[in-house]
Amino acid sequence: MLRLSTKGQYGVRAMFEIAKGDPEKPTNIRQIAERQDVSVAYLEQILNTLRRAGLIQSIKGPGGGYILSKTPSEIAIGEILKELEGPVAITSCLDPEEGCSRVETCVTHLLWRSLGEKIQDFLNTITLEDLLNEEALLKEAGTTRTISLTWGTTG
Amino acid sequence: MLRLSTKGQYGVRAMFEIAKGDPEKPTNIRQIAERQDVSVAYLEQILNTLRRAGLIQSIKGPGGGYILSKTPSEIAIGEILKELEGPVAITSCLDPEEGCSRVETCVTHLLWRSLGEKIQDFLNTITLEDLLNEEALLKEAGTTRTISLTWGTTG
DNA sequence: AAAATACTTTAGTGATTTTGTCAAGTATTA
DNA sequence: TAATACTTGACAAAATCACTAAAGTATTTT
Ligand code: FES
Ligand code: FES
């Protein structure tokens, strides 16, 4: 339950891949596609959305590609997902575009709203920089799984 | 994003409706359907799943219906959803039945896992009793929205 | 100017999932 | 034994997902 679409997943992975690159040298779409194992055509859609949202910039011509509009620490995962999948809305009742007449008296509504806010908070806290740091830790530890996540459950 | 299917939503609402009833007198399916505005046929599917999972018991014959197998405080929302929608799995990589070869080195995987665990923890903390208490508060406050949720975001 | 590179945009499509409905049961009790 | 009520499995319309395809626009190098 509560699955994220591939669009959101690929979007985050693509942003991560761009973040890993040199801020001066754009990462081109084929590199992203290859490293993250996603089709170029599908990535085009995704990166386009993210560019229109202002999260990345594109540079055309030979040697072109994509760069981040802000530093990795300023880009939260929640922002990326929001652009690709809209705001967190556990139920249609919570969707600004749909709504529900029961809202006023519905107890479960409060539950879903509360859960949604918790998720949103979490996603807005984690940034691309956190992912970069995490990868550094992963490599250090070799194949051993890192537990020292600042956003882990044990914390 | 991250929408719950209606099956899960209706399931929780149905369980709440049963929890509201007298533990001695079963709530019949038509009452649930009417009060929660869901079709009887669809509810049958849902309640059947929940019964097989042991969360509710059915009582046949005239005056029959459904009762909870445990007290409301012993039934977490997470249990209900798990039966109707399977475990939380933000990505297919996290699904026990699917998996992914990248798991070992994938940073985003750690992110989704962490988020999933947070959601799971939350859903396992809230019980039907919490919902009952919340409704009592709601009625007390009239149309004013209650903010005093123990599981609210204001903490 | 021309060619190469690379991003941009819009359509369309097959597979899958969701959201139910329908119909024919079985079990229990007044 | 009739009425009530739960049980089960099959099925289907609708929506969403996860892409693919193709033609276009912009920029830079030669
Ligand atoms: S059913 Fe829509 S708010 Fe509860
Ligand atoms: S893509 Fe499957 S674990 Fe990251």
Side-chain angles (χ1 to χ4, degrees):
Chain A
M1 65 166 135
L2 289 175
R3 189 155 300 186
L4 209 59
S5 80
T6 57
K7 216 165 194 166
Q9 296 173 43
Y10 294 172
V12 172
R13 281 161 60 190
M15 289 295 279
F16 174 70
E17 201 59 45
I18 298 171
K20 274 174 72 175
D22 187 332
E24 303 301 314
K25 289 176 192 163
T27 309
N28 83 36
I29 204 167
R30 269 182 254 171
Q31 292 172 328
I32 301 174
E34 199 178 322
R35 293 178 192 159
Q36 290 290 333
D37 200 26
V38 179
S39 88
V40 169
Y42 198 19
L43 260 186
E44 281 169 346
Q45 265 185 45
I46 294 169
L47 293 181
N48 237 300
T49 303
L50 295 176
R51 183 188 55 79
R52 269 185 292 225
L55 292 177
I56 52 179
Q57 283 169 22
S58 66
I59 292 160
K60 296 191 172 187
Y66 294 91
I67 56 173
L68 299 182
S69 295
K70 300 184 283 188
T71 63
S73 67
E74 291 170 325
I75 302 179
I77 307 302
E79 291 181 71
I80 302 170
L81 293 179
K82 186 179 137 201
E83 295 305 333
L84 292 170
E85 307 204 17
V88 174
I90 308 291
T91 64
S92 63
C93 311
L94 278 158
D95 191 322
E97 293 178 21
E98 305 193 48
C100 173
S101 60
R102 295 172 149 261
V103 167
E104 294 301 323
T105 55
C106 185
V107 182
T108 58
H109 186 68
L110 296 174
L111 172 63
W112 307 133
R113 186 158 63 91
S114 189
L115 173 59
E117 285 170 358
K118 273 201 151 47
I119 294 173
Q120 196 67 269
D121 286 349
F122 178 80
L123 292 174
N124 286 338
T125 300
I126 314 291
T127 68
L128 287 178
E129 191 176 44
D130 293 321
L131 293 188
L132 291 173
N133 292 339
E134 201 55 40
E135 184 169 71
L137 282 176
L138 249 183
K139 279 185 179 164
E140 221 171 81
T143 52
T144 310
R145 184 165 298 159
T146 56
I147 308 289
S148 61
L149 310 171
T150 50
W151 22 280
T153 50
T154 50
Chain B
M1 65 165 135
L2 291 175
R3 189 156 302 185
L4 208 59
S5 80
T6 58
K7 216 165 195 168
Q9 296 173 43
Y10 295 171
V12 172
R13 280 161 60 189
M15 288 294 280
F16 174 70
E17 201 59 45
I18 298 172
K20 273 173 72 174
D22 187 333
E24 304 300 315
K25 289 177 193 164
T27 308
N28 83 35
I29 204 167
R30 267 182 257 171
Q31 291 171 327
I32 301 174
E34 197 178 326
R35 291 177 193 160
Q36 291 291 334
D37 200 24
V38 179
S39 89
V40 170
Y42 198 19
L43 260 186
E44 281 170 348
Q45 264 187 47
I46 294 169
L47 293 181
N48 238 298
T49 302
L50 295 175
R51 184 188 54 79
R52 269 185 292 224
L55 292 176
I56 51 178
Q57 284 170 20
S58 65
I59 292 160
K60 297 189 169 187
Y66 294 90
I67 56 173
L68 299 182
S69 295
K70 300 184 281 188
T71 61
S73 67
E74 291 170 325
I75 301 179
I77 307 302
E79 291 181 72
I80 303 170
L81 294 179
K82 186 178 136 201
E83 295 305 333
L84 292 170
E85 307 204 17
V88 173
I90 308 291
T91 65
S92 62
C93 312
L94 278 158
D95 192 320
E97 293 178 22
E98 304 193 50
C100 174
S101 60
R102 296 173 148 263
V103 167
E104 294 300 324
T105 55
C106 187
V107 182
T108 58
H109 186 69
L110 297 174
L111 172 64
W112 307 134
R113 186 158 62 92
S114 190
L115 173 59
E117 285 169 359
K118 272 201 151 51
I119 294 172
Q120 196 67 270
D121 287 349
F122 177 81
L123 291 175
N124 286 339
T125 300
I126 313 291
T127 68
L128 287 177
E129 191 175 43
D130 293 320
L131 293 188
L132 291 173
N133 292 339
E134 202 54 41
E135 185 170 72
L137 280 177
L138 248 184
K139 278 186 177 160
E140 219 172 80
T143 51
T144 309
R145 184 165 297 158
T146 56
I147 307 288
S148 60
L149 310 172
T150 50
W151 21 281
T153 50
T154 49

